[in-house]
Amino acid sequence: MRGISLTQTQGLSRGSPVVDTGDPLRVPVGERLLGRAVNVFGAPIDGKEAIERKELRSVYQSPPPISQRSTTSEIFETGIKAIDILSPLERGGKAGLFGGAGVGKTVLIMEMIHNIVGRYQGISIFCGIGERSREGEEVFREISDAQVLDKTVLVFAQMNEPPGARFRVGHSALTMAEYFRDDARQDVLLLIDNIFRFIQAGSEVSGIMGQLPSRVGYQPTLASELAELESRICSTRSAAITSVQAVYVPADDFTDPAVAHTFGHLSSSIVLSRKMASLGLYPAIDPLQSHSRMLSPHIVGDEHYRTAQMIRKTLAEYEDLKDVIAMLGLEELSEGDQRTVNRARRLERFLTQPFMTTEHFTGRKGKLIRLDDALSGCERILNDEFADYPESSLYMIGDIEEAKI
């Protein structure tokens, strides 16, 4: 018989007695978890008093049947220009933040906590899978500073914990989220950092179990394990679980099996680009690779859809002209192409935004932008209203009215 450890195995030896509890892994659910940081078992790790384990639920739950699911599509605003315009999030959907190491996934998740949780009427659950303890502490402090800790549950399995704990912590967090959705009938915002570490933990567990590795050394059960977790995140007629997930991209390779399988489950994919980060354009969201199935005229409206398509077209044309500019210079382009480049560079800078979570690093006051204001600004740039303004006047501003000649 093989067993997967969820805690450190130090001190275990052959001949140690094994006790069968007759139960699966169960975690406490309910209001008493609010404001607390817990581990995979639902036990507190925040140094406060023990949590009363009145109602316990198995972490192995089935997703709600299709007949009970909501069929309407609603936009979920974040206050971040580049996301709300080009890859809007869906209420009750799953959004992925894709990027390699150091391009700003955790910073973007922290900003979403700051923007959404503060004005959000539901419950927030942060699930840290394979988190560094420094990141966990920062998230806890950020949520406390935003004064929303009383509406938030934090569930962690740190990097130094066994793979069994990192593999099951997502299921524990989802079980807690399902209680608020189905029993308390409250909307839940589920933030997961990082879904790649869930797949990585599954690969380690698979190796311990003696299974043969599949493509690129991943577990043969990668697709089914990921689907088992992701299919539980959905909206029912009573309430919704909306999820934002950071996805680490190994060596910036988007064809990696872990990344490719995750793409298939998401309603919005926000791709972070190292090239944008190196140019100082933060958030480093790649507007041409990011997409959302919400960006459709019957959901966001004709005006929003048309503006987003024009932004993409302008930026794509600029991308094609970059080689010509590098070889011959901007002056050799036709007048029409020069106007396109002019618009594209101003759009790139307008889509940057100072974050509240980075105020103490940058010295710039963070901004939260309404979708209407962001769309209006982009439309005015596309109409060449800001052609005479220096590019720097549109960099790291909130509303377009802040631009100064």
Side-chain angles (χ1 to χ4, degrees):
M1 186 178 85
R2 277 196 175 96
I4 298 295
S5 166
L6 297 179
T7 56
Q8 299 293 347
T9 52
Q10 241 172 338
L12 276 184
S13 62
R14 188 175 294 193
S16 298
V18 176
V19 179
D20 179 7
T21 63
D23 279 321
L25 174 60
R26 298 196 300 168
V27 292
V29 294
E31 310 277 327
R32 57 194 162 280
L33 287 166
L34 295 174
R36 304 300 301 272
V38 298
N39 62 12
V40 65
F41 302 103
I45 53 171
D46 52 10
K48 297 179 189 169
E49 73 279 359
I51 294 166
E52 197 184 341
R53 299 172 75 85
K54 231 184 218 168
E55 188 181 348
L56 296 171
R57 286 195 185 171
S58 165
V59 300
Y60 312 104
Q61 301 286 342
S62 301
I66 289 173
S67 58
Q68 287 178 20
R69 298 193 187 192
S70 167
T71 52
T72 56
S73 295
E74 284 176 55
I75 293 296
F76 194 84
E77 268 192 56
T78 64
I80 298 167
K81 287 184 281 196
I83 293 176
D84 289 343
I85 294 174
L86 296 169
S87 47
L89 271 53
E90 178 188 12
R91 177 184 173 270
K94 298 179 272 281
L97 304 178
F98 292 85
V103 291
K105 293 183 300 299
T106 300
V107 171
L108 202 48
I109 279 222
M110 303 271 273
E111 186 69 7
M112 283 190 181
I113 289 171
H114 201 288
N115 289 6
I116 301 169
V117 176
R119 57 195 173 91
Y120 183 65
Q121 297 308 304
I123 299 296
S124 305
I125 295 182
F126 181 91
C127 176
I129 305 177
E131 280 282 85
R132 299 172 181 89
S133 51
R134 168 185 62 77
E135 290 173 343
E137 190 274 333
E138 280 174 9
V139 168
F140 193 88
R141 194 153 28 89
E142 197 66 46
I143 289 173
S144 301
D145 291 349
Q147 297 181 328
V148 286
L149 191 60
D150 59 333
K151 280 186 171 185
T152 309
V153 184
L154 297 107
V155 193
F156 290 108
Q158 287 169 207
M159 268 184 175
N160 62 335
E161 292 187 45
R166 284 181 274 125
F167 186 60
R168 283 296 173 216
V169 72
H171 298 85
S172 296
L174 258 170
T175 304
M176 296 166 189
E178 283 164 348
Y179 167 86
F180 289 110
R181 180 192 66 192
D182 301 334
D183 294 43
R185 294 179 179 256
Q186 287 179 289
D187 282 354
V188 180
L189 177 64
L190 176 65
L191 300 139
I192 302 176
D193 190 8
N194 184 309
I195 208 76
F196 174 79
R197 307 236 181 266
F198 163 75
I199 293 168
Q200 202 175 36
S203 178
E204 291 174 49
V205 168
S206 174
I208 294 165
M209 300 287 280
Q211 293 176 339
L212 285 172
S214 177
R215 233 177 97 211
V216 200
Y218 285 108
Q219 64 272 39
T221 49
L222 188 158
S224 56
E225 286 169 0
L226 187 62
E228 197 181 292
L229 184 78
E230 296 281 10
S231 59
R232 288 169 63 180
I233 303 170
C234 62
S235 53
T236 62
R237 286 171 192 155
S238 55
I241 297 177
T242 304
S243 174
V244 179
Q245 312 170 6
V247 187
Y248 168 67
V249 181
D252 292 345
D253 176 17
F254 283 86
T255 63
D256 186 271
V259 179
H261 278 96
T262 308
F263 264 122
H265 292 281
L266 305 171
S267 52
S268 303
S269 300
I270 297 153
V271 176
L272 299 175
S273 144
R274 199 170 296 284
K275 193 167 149 199
M276 301 284 281
S278 67
L279 293 169
L281 301 171
Y282 290 104
I285 294 167
D286 187 327
L288 299 177
Q289 279 192 284
S290 303
H291 60 87
S292 167
R293 68 168 187 228
M294 293 287 101
L295 199 58
S296 169
H298 68 276
I299 297 173
V300 295
D302 287 329
E303 189 190 344
H304 183 164
Y305 177 74
R306 202 169 48 248
T307 305
Q309 293 306 99
M310 276 305 296
I311 292 167
R312 284 225 171 93
K313 182 172 179 282
T314 306
L315 294 172
E317 285 173 8
Y318 175 43
E319 199 61 40
D320 291 341
L321 291 168
K322 276 182 180 174
D323 289 342
V324 180
I325 296 166
M327 286 189 287
L328 304 174
L330 190 61
E331 296 75 26
E332 296 301 313
L333 296 179
S334 69
E335 212 172 292
D337 284 346
Q338 283 188 24
R339 275 201 301 272
T340 299
V341 171
N342 192 326
R343 277 181 218 131
R345 289 181 65 84
R346 279 157 180 73
L347 279 170
E348 278 185 342
R349 277 142 189 80
F350 180 62
L351 289 173
T352 61
Q353 187 169 335
F355 279 180
M356 306 202 189
T357 47
T358 57
E359 274 178 17
H360 49 292
F361 298 119
T362 62
R364 296 175 191 267
K365 194 172 181 336
K367 302 279 167 68
L368 191 147
I369 320 297
R370 284 176 54 246
L371 176 59
D372 293 346
D373 295 337
L375 281 171
S376 158
C378 289
E379 278 174 17
R380 289 173 68 185
I381 292 170
L382 287 166
N383 292 333
D384 286 337
E385 277 187 47
F386 292 86
D388 298 329
Y389 282 58
E391 290 170 9
S392 57
S393 69
L394 296 163
Y395 178 69
M396 284 290 170
I397 61 169
D399 198 330
I400 195 78
E401 301 299 339
E402 293 175 33
K404 291 183 178 70
I405 288 185

